[in-house]
Amino acid sequence: MEYTRLGNTGLKVSRVCLGMMSYGDPAKQEWALARDEAEPLIRRAADGGVTFFDTANVYSRGASEVVTGEALGAIFPRREDYVLATKVYFPMGRGPNEGGLSRKHILDAIDASLRRLGTDYVDLYQIHRWDDETPIEETMEALNDVVRAGKVRYLGASSMWSWQFAKAQHVAEVNGWTRFVSMQNHYNLLYREEEREMLPLCADQGVGVIPWSPLARGVLARAGTAATTVRRGSDDRIDSLYDPENDKLILDRVAQVATDRGLPAAQVALAWVLHRAEITAPIVGATREGHVDDALAAVSVSLSEEEVAFMEAPYRPRDVRF
């Protein structure tokens, strides 16, 4: 495993981040794995050098944070041995203040996350989306306060317009508050709209980039096959984010490079994400041992300029999809 700094910070993270969305409560999320199934996969990633783990309070309505905290506590001898990230924004209940980025919800949510995770602090606390109903000044001050309280070490953001991210950073800077050090955005071979503004902005500002869905929710991993998964049948966001028919040429080219190299398509698609200089660590989900192994192996896969150009060439601009 390789390790790198998260943006301009001194924090070192593994070049692969294990996404914990796949773990939690199957009753709340059909394709989620309970702890007894999840822990061996998390341990396999840790044994391979992964030290960076990303979850969110909304995943399985808190159950993912519980599984994450229990499993990491059992696997790692010390809390200092891993980097833990979680998120806040989406509703956790039916009350009018149980979602969003108000001061009330942020202060309530961080305490609830810490209880579920079984830890005193989160290394990276991220806003899951932009909140149009809360002044960004209120949000940034509240986030700064949780940092000053020692409950959070660093702040991150996720999927928003570039102007919104720039505005949030400016508000923090002029008030002497903590800035975001990372951006968790949507980025893969089937969705490259982030190359227009967000990736250049992050590179210019020294912000780490930890993209979600680097394998397009598994679509790229299945390039060249007719395989399907439980998630494919129950995750309706796949159809709203991707269109395999229109993306067929890209998928065919990924499959061809994979065949020529004698590698799984997942390794090739992840290697493409990792080759971008702006990328710190893609967030990879894993529900089988092979998923973990492909993620670990992708770090060592080097693509030629010709292979990169070959896979990128069919891409056509599309609507922004958060």
Side-chain angles (χ1 to χ4, degrees):
M1 179 55 62
E2 298 175 1
Y3 302 90
T4 188
R5 292 165 56 213
L6 182 62
N8 279 345
T9 75
L11 180 66
K12 298 288 185 65
V13 296
S14 52
R15 285 281 276 150
V16 167
C17 176
L18 185 64
M20 312 301 275
M21 185 179 184
S22 300
Y23 314 134
D25 184 353
K28 297 177 181 177
Q29 194 168 270
E30 185 178 347
W31 40 269
L33 303 182
R35 182 185 167 183
D36 60 341
E37 297 177 282
E39 187 169 323
L41 301 177
I42 301 169
R43 188 178 296 276
R44 193 177 187 91
D47 289 344
V50 173
T51 58
F52 192 13
F53 302 88
D54 174 82
T55 186
N57 59 357
V58 74
Y59 298 160
S60 283
R61 282 298 178 90
S64 175
E65 288 186 322
V66 173
V67 170
T68 296
E70 292 177 350
L72 294 180
I75 293 169
F76 288 92
R78 305 180 307 160
R79 175 64 182 84
E80 299 92 326
D81 294 335
Y82 59 91
V83 176
L84 176 60
T86 193
K87 311 181 196 73
V88 58
Y89 168 73
F90 287 108
M92 291 296 289
R94 296 182 178 180
N97 291 306
E98 292 188 78
L101 298 176
S102 68
R103 179 178 184 84
K104 177 175 175 56
H105 182 60
I106 287 172
L107 298 184
D108 289 343
I110 184 59
D111 287 343
S113 285
L114 292 177
R115 286 194 297 270
R116 287 188 291 264
L117 290 163
T119 184
D120 295 329
Y121 70 94
V122 168
D123 294 289
L124 181 65
Y125 199 44
Q126 304 157 102
I127 58 171
H128 215 154
R129 291 294 186 273
W130 179 270
D131 183 358
D132 288 317
E133 297 185 349
T134 302
I136 189 60
E137 291 82 1
E138 177 179 341
T139 296
M140 298 310 295
E141 184 176 19
L143 291 171
N144 181 69
D145 287 346
V146 298
V147 173
R148 296 293 173 246
K151 298 177 182 181
V152 168
R153 300 285 169 84
Y154 299 90
L155 298 176
S158 180
S159 287
M160 59 183 63
W161 296 103
S162 299
W163 70 264
Q164 293 171 327
F165 189 49
K167 180 178 181 179
Q169 296 288 64
H170 175 70
V171 164
E173 183 173 2
V174 298
N175 286 284
W177 297 332
T178 308
R179 288 163 50 95
F180 293 122
V181 303
S182 63
M183 167 53 64
Q184 183 175 151
N185 54 352
H186 183 198
Y187 188 60
N188 55 56
L189 265 166
L190 302 184
Y191 182 82
R192 294 168 49 199
E193 298 310 298
E194 299 293 290
E195 293 176 8
R196 296 177 179 275
E197 295 186 5
M198 187 60 80
L199 291 187
L201 173 62
C202 290
D204 179 72
Q205 296 295 305
V207 172
V209 179
I210 51 175
W212 56 269
S213 204
L215 290 175
R217 272 172 149 75
V219 175
L220 283 161
R222 298 187 294 276
T225 76
T228 188
T229 64
V230 173
R231 181 170 183 175
R232 181 67 185 87
S234 59
D235 184 354
D236 56 7
R237 286 213 73 199
I238 293 178
D239 290 331
S240 67
L241 292 172
Y242 308 111
D243 185 354
E245 281 303 311
N246 289 333
D247 291 330
K248 188 175 185 305
L249 187 52
I250 298 174
L251 294 170
D252 287 347
R253 292 194 176 199
V254 171
Q256 183 173 333
V257 171
T259 298
D260 292 346
R261 295 287 295 271
L263 297 172
Q267 290 187 27
V268 171
L270 283 174
W272 177 85
V273 175
L274 285 160
H275 98 280
R276 294 282 312 208
E278 304 94 332
I279 303 302
T280 303
I283 299 172
V284 183
T287 54
R288 296 199 301 267
E289 288 184 353
H291 297 161
V292 176
D293 295 341
D294 283 339
L296 297 175
V299 176
S300 301
V301 174
S302 179
L303 299 173
S304 69
E305 292 182 5
E306 291 75 19
E307 288 170 326
V308 169
F310 178 69
M311 291 188 290
E312 290 181 348
Y315 186 81
R316 295 295 179 269
R318 56 206 62 201
D319 292 339
V320 173
R321 298 168 183 173
F322 291 158

